[in-house]
Amino acid sequence: EGDQAQEEPAEEEASEARIRADELIAQAEETYQRRAAEREGRPPEEGGDGTAESPVSSLLQQAQQMISQVTADDTADTAVEEEPVEQESWSGKPDCDAPPAPMVNWSRCDMSGIELIGVDLSDAILVETNFSGAYISDTDLSGAVMQQANFSGAELQNVIMQKSKLVKADFTDALIIFADLSFANANWANFDGADLLVLRALHTNFVEAQMTNTLFFYNDFTFANLVGADFTGSVPRFNF
């Protein structure tokens, strides 16, 4: 009888979690559609015949497959030693007119509202760069130096940010879907009000990061350093 009594609350909790998950997917879907409409200068779609596949729903349906792959890769990932953080140094002046390319220097440039799709910005210097309201998709930002960069209200989808430097970066109200921040340094970064969906953050540093009012869904924070991070008002679901 005691075991049965314990099982009933567990089933109730699981049922509530599934209901909440559906609500979170709907919320993320609405955010995605609204921002897509804003980018294309059209009013958000209302209703519909339900035949079109939702981009967000499609991504989340792939989450389980991704999680299985992450689990399979855990042994290899944990065997990799994080390189020591060295003093940041770079040469050359920022060139805000330079095309996107590896190691480009866009420091303190105004890139607000820019669309970056399928570009390589690995090891780029993006210190205090303004990417507010930007749309960044299928882009490699691995190793990029982005201290105090402004990504507020930006949408980042399927981006690689491994070993990037995101200290004090601002992701307020950003929408981040399918991003890999493994081994990145996001200490003191601000994620207030952001939606983080299917984020991979193995061994990532989030020391004293601001994660208030943040939606977390299907994220992997294995071995991440979350010491002092503020999760007040956040909604974590199905994270590991």
Side-chain angles (χ1 to χ4, degrees), residues 106-183:
W106 283 350
S107 290
R108 301 177 182 84
C109 295
D110 184 6
M111 299 293 177
S112 56
I114 193 172
E115 287 195 9
L116 296 171
I117 302 173
V119 301
D120 186 353
L121 289 171
S122 56
D123 300 310
I125 309 303
L126 308 170
V127 177
E128 295 182 22
T129 305
N130 181 11
F131 286 108
S132 60
Y135 176 71
I136 304 174
S137 176
D138 301 301
T139 291
D140 187 354
L141 285 159
S142 57
V145 182
M146 297 178 276
Q147 280 103 325
Q148 295 183 295
N150 181 4
F151 289 94
S152 60
E155 182 177 334
L156 293 84
Q157 184 177 148
N158 197 28
V159 294
I160 301 172
M161 304 172 84
Q162 294 176 349
K163 297 186 179 181
S164 60
K165 309 299 188 297
L166 293 162
V167 175
K168 294 185 178 180
D170 185 2
F171 290 94
T172 303
D173 297 322
L175 174 61
I176 306 177
I177 306 173
F178 267 145
D180 191 344
L181 274 73
S182 297
F183 296 99

Side-chain angles (χ1 to χ4, degrees), residues 75-90:
T75 304
D77 286 326
T78 53
V80 177
E81 293 185 4
E82 184 175 3
E83 295 178 2
V85 177
E86 300 178 356
Q87 176 103 23
E88 300 296 350
S89 62
W90 54 84

Side-chain angles (χ1 to χ4, degrees), residues 13-64:
E13 187 176 340
S15 178
E16 289 175 5
R18 283 192 293 270
I19 292 169
R20 182 59 179 147
D22 290 339
E23 291 174 354
L24 295 178
I25 292 173
Q27 177 184 335
E29 184 176 329
E30 182 181 348
T31 302
Y32 183 97
Q33 297 294 354
R34 174 175 54 78
R35 293 190 178 184
E38 289 172 357
R39 284 198 310 274
E40 297 169 12
R42 57 175 174 78
E45 294 180 5
E46 296 181 2
D49 57 9
T51 56
E53 185 178 28
S54 160
V56 172
S57 295
S58 176
L59 288 173
L60 294 178
Q61 285 164 13
Q62 298 174 45
Q64 289 289 3

Side-chain angles (χ1 to χ4, degrees), residues 1 40 66 70-71 82 99 103 110 126 130 133 144 155 206 213:
E1 291 180 3
E40 297 169 12
M66 175 186 174
V70 170
T71 304
E82 184 175 3
M103 302 182 70
D110 184 6
L126 308 170
N130 181 11
E155 182 177 334
F206 293 102
N213 308 304

